[in-house]
Amino acid sequence: MSDLDLDPTQLDRYSRHIILDDVGPEGQKDLLDAKVLVLGAGGLGAPIIQYLAAAGVGTLGIADDDEVELSNLQRQVIHGDDDVGRKKVDSAAEFVADLNPDVDVERHDLRVTPDNIEELIDGYDFVVDGTDNFETRYLVNDACTLAGIPFSHGSIFRFEGQVTTFAGDDDSPCYRCLFPEAPPAGMVPNCATAGVLGVLPGTVGCLQATETVKHLMGKGESLDGSMLFFDALDMEFDKVKIPKQDDCPVCGDNPAIESVHDVEYTASCAIDVGGDSEPEIEASD
């Protein structure tokens, strides 16, 4: 697609992009031609889906097997009262269709598991992780790193959030460079038990969407190699470096993980030592 392919409605819709020197019609073309997979249509997924659709990302994959609950509506802004009880992928797809008819939605009503994640991420240019548990985060990291697909990580807890991008370059770290294994089960409570400030996932999700758009257009500096921490109570941002670890079990010099089937994605997400079960991992918030 070139700028001449944009019809009058598109020229109007994306005009604020087109007049930007660092975006222009070429940058909008990159967005319209892109395929992005969003894992989770909940607190983080909602603003991610909303802003990627508004920006004109041509194909949005949305993966979630959960249903909308009333308690979701305090933060999951793409769903409404009438959506309670509906599948989140259906509610999200309807929201996108109402917002921007240029965007094609690929619905993945499923739980993410080691058995389906490789097929799920195949063909996408970028993956955005908006899930809410350690098992899925490690599964997404391992699958994307092994496949060479760049992805965004975001997480929230009470009044705090963090976000980074893993570009998948030879000198880029991965999530296991920072956290080789998950903390013991029960050490970190989830939002259902600890609570979360309703606007917090909007802030973190928008940062993830920003990183995604920049990556697709090849503009600016990404968070690859850094983690951005946000404290909503003190309104402070801190950025820390994530060095690539030579002994990382996924992206290091001698990786111990060569397949997602090498790992038991349970509490610790450690390398499998012989177990033959593969638990299902929820991709929801």
Side-chain angles (χ1 to χ4, degrees), residues 131-208:
T131 61
D132 66 350
N133 61 81
F134 284 108
E135 294 95 327
T136 311
R137 290 170 192 158
Y138 281 92
L139 178 58
V140 172
N141 174 81
D142 297 349
C144 287
T145 301
L146 291 171
I149 298 175
F151 69 102
S152 166
H153 158 79
S155 63
I156 51 175
F157 177 69
R158 300 187 67 183
F159 298 96
E160 300 174 352
Q162 61 186 34
V163 60
T164 188
T165 298
F166 298 109
D169 298 330
D170 290 341
D171 58 349
S172 298
C174 76
Y175 190 69
R176 285 189 186 267
C177 289
L178 184 61
F179 305 115
E181 295 183 358
M187 176 173 289
V188 180
N190 58 31
C191 293
T193 57
V196 62
L197 185 67
V199 298
L200 178 64
T203 304
V204 174
C206 283
L207 290 170
Q208 290 185 268

Side-chain angles (χ1 to χ4, degrees), residues 38-53 60 62 64 72 75-79 88 92 95-96 99 130 201-202 205-206 208-209 285:
V38 181
L39 299 175
L44 290 174
I48 294 166
I49 292 166
Q50 181 178 28
Y51 277 97
L52 293 184
L60 274 182
I62 302 175
D64 199 311
N72 298 153
R75 64 200 178 280
Q76 300 182 19
V77 293
I78 62 175
H79 311 296
K88 287 185 179 179
F95 178 91
V96 172
L99 178 62
C206 283
Q208 290 185 268
D285 180 4

Side-chain angles (χ1 to χ4, degrees), residues 19 28 64 69 123 126 149 153 175 214 228 232 244-245:
I19 62 176
Q28 190 60 52
D64 199 311
E69 300 178 2
F126 196 88
I149 298 175
H153 158 79
Y175 190 69
K214 286 163 48 187
L228 186 66
K244 183 179 178 68
Q245 301 294 335

Side-chain angles (χ1 to χ4, degrees), residues 257-271:
I257 299 173
E258 298 181 345
S259 164
V260 294
H261 300 288
D262 293 338
V263 182
E264 184 178 1
Y265 292 97
T266 54
S268 67
C269 301
I271 300 171

